[in-house]
Amino acid sequence: MLTSSKTIRRLFYWGLPIAILYVVFQKIDLEAFRANLAQTDVLLVCVALLLGPIVVSIGAIRWNYMLRKCISSRVGLHFSSRHYWIGLALGMFVPGGLGWDAYRVMAVGRRFGRYNMNMGVIVAEKLMALIVCMLLIVLLYPVVSFSGQSQLLTQLFDAAVIVLGLGVAFVMLVVIMRHYRLVRPLLERVERRLAKLVSMAIKKVRINNSASTASVPIRDFLSPLTMPRHLPMILLFSFLIQLVTAIGSQLFFVAAGYDIPFMVNLFVTPILFFVFLLPVSFGGLGVREVAYIFFYGLFGVPAETALLVSFFALAGILLNNLIGAVVVALQRNKVDSYGSGL
């Protein structure tokens, strides 16, 4: 029964993109799509594609900054960048980018230890990215929703306000809990409870049943969020990632011969960021195309143009993964060194 369910999930995971793309191409005007493709400015597309590696590099710098502040000042930019690219290539085969994050935790953990804090760094990175994305949606909503095309934009704004408020409140709560002694006993109780749960799980999978009590330092896990003086820099890096991605999308539209306000791209980019995290297909294939058609369609972009731009974006993702694969090949026979930077 378990094998059958796994087979069904695999068929769904690999078959869904094909089914979605089939439906998409049945709905669009193929002649208009070919016309858009024929008039595309190839040179401008190539320029936009080069922004993809820049986005990944900004992410690697952000990760390195957090590691140096939270884990060890010995974490070099060369080390972080190399494993960031390797994780990107390997994570393509795991839904939702979880493989990318898991690889980064393991890579740094093998060198510097402190696995809980490594996981905390990833969580802090994601939370700061979430806050930036929600903030962009909230701030840009009055600018891009002038034509009132869809009630969905209002619903997105309301959801963004709620998520933004919860994210900021959570960060403030963690900072307060970390610095006030009155709540430390509560954290210690949570740690002891988690330790028991982990130990019980370990004992169930060990034949000799000799597992010792595991340590789950939740304070280490939360510590990357308890340094307010470093959070603005992390937010800045997260904003730059969204900004450069939006610039790339703008260039794709210009290359396709379609005039679209830049603020629309800056508004849609964080929305697409979360849509692509859905673990429903390989590399987001199919989901990406539908998302581009749907969300850009809210601003009057023809489906054929949005589909073409989505394929340009896919080419950028494949380029980044190709670079990551090259780094994997070069790294295969090398031993990690501390490296102070690129």
Side-chain angles (χ1 to χ4, degrees):
M1 183 66 180
L2 182 60
T3 303
S4 300
S5 62
K6 287 184 177 180
T7 302
I8 294 174
R9 286 197 299 268
R10 288 178 180 176
L11 289 175
F12 179 82
Y13 183 68
W14 294 97
L16 183 62
I18 299 175
I20 293 177
L21 290 176
Y22 175 80
V23 174
V24 167
F25 276 101
Q26 291 294 315
K27 297 294 183 180
I28 68 167
D29 185 342
L30 291 178
E31 290 301 323
F33 179 80
R34 294 191 188 99
N36 288 340
L37 181 60
Q39 69 177 11
T40 296
D41 188 333
V42 178
L43 179 60
L44 195 55
V45 170
C46 293
V47 172
L49 290 177
L50 294 178
L51 293 180
I54 294 177
V55 170
V56 176
S57 297
I58 295 173
I61 295 172
R62 178 183 62 183
W63 185 43
N64 177 259
Y65 177 85
M66 297 176 68
L67 290 175
R68 290 178 65 86
K69 300 301 180 182
C70 302
I71 306 297
S72 172
S73 60
R74 298 179 299 163
V75 182
L77 183 57
H78 182 270
F79 173 89
S80 301
S81 298
R82 186 168 70 251
H83 288 293
Y84 200 82
W85 281 103
I86 292 174
L88 173 64
L90 299 179
M92 184 178 181
F93 300 97
V94 180
L98 298 177
W100 189 2
D101 298 333
Y103 173 83
R104 288 193 286 156
V105 170
M106 296 302 297
V108 177
R110 285 196 301 265
R111 171 61 64 79
F112 300 98
R114 308 182 75 176
Y115 284 90
N116 286 281
M117 192 169 290
N118 281 318
M119 289 187 288
V121 166
I122 301 296
V123 171
E125 175 186 286
K126 300 297 185 184
L127 182 57
M128 293 301 102
L130 172 67
I131 290 176
V132 167
C133 289
M134 296 301 102
L135 186 60
L136 285 173
I137 293 173
V138 171
L139 294 179
L140 294 177
Y141 172 78
V143 178
V144 301
S145 61
F146 54 89
S147 60
Q149 308 95 325
S150 174
Q151 186 66 23
L152 179 61
L153 293 178
T154 302
Q155 295 172 350
L156 284 173
F157 172 78
D158 294 339
V161 170
I162 295 173
V163 175
L164 177 62
L166 291 176
V168 173
F170 177 76
V171 173
M172 293 177 63
L173 178 63
V174 171
V175 172
I176 293 173
M177 290 177 65
R178 180 70 176 184
H179 289 88
Y180 282 84
R181 295 181 179 179
L182 293 177
V183 298
R184 289 186 179 179
L186 175 61
L187 289 177
E188 292 174 355
R189 291 179 59 184
V190 174
E191 288 178 0
R192 288 194 296 268
R193 181 59 179 170
L194 289 176
K196 291 181 180 179
L197 293 176
V198 172
S199 298
M200 291 173 59
I202 293 175
K203 289 178 181 179
K204 289 183 179 180
V205 299
R206 288 190 179 184
I207 298 177
N208 58 13
N209 203 30
S210 60
S212 58
T213 301
S215 176
V216 185
I218 192 171
R219 285 167 291 182
D220 286 347
F221 182 79
L222 295 176
S223 62
L225 291 173
T226 60
M227 298 179 292
R229 65 184 182 276
H230 300 308
L231 295 182
M233 185 62 68
I234 302 172
L235 290 171
L236 175 61
F237 285 131
S238 299
F239 170 72
L240 289 176
I241 289 173
Q242 297 297 318
L243 177 64
V244 176
T245 302
I247 293 174
S249 296
Q250 186 74 20
L251 293 178
F252 284 145
F253 275 103
V254 174
Y258 189 85
D259 184 20
I260 186 173
F262 174 71
M263 290 303 177
V264 171
N265 273 314
L266 193 57
F267 178 80
V268 175
T269 294
I271 298 174
L272 295 177
F273 173 79
F274 287 100
V275 172
F276 300 155
L277 290 178
L278 298 175
V280 295
S281 68
F282 174 73
L285 192 61
V287 175
R288 176 181 300 99
E289 289 69 33
V290 171
Y292 268 80
I293 292 173
F294 179 77
F295 287 106
Y296 279 109
L298 296 178
F299 300 96
V301 178
E304 295 76 20
T305 302
L307 180 62
L308 182 60
V309 171
S310 75
F311 285 149
F312 293 157
L314 176 60
I317 293 173
L318 295 177
L319 173 62
N320 284 337
N321 281 278
L322 177 60
I323 295 174
V326 172
V327 176
V328 171
L330 294 176
Q331 174 66 19
R332 184 172 299 172
N333 297 320
K334 292 183 178 180
V335 178
D336 287 341
S337 59
Y338 282 118
S340 59
L342 288 172

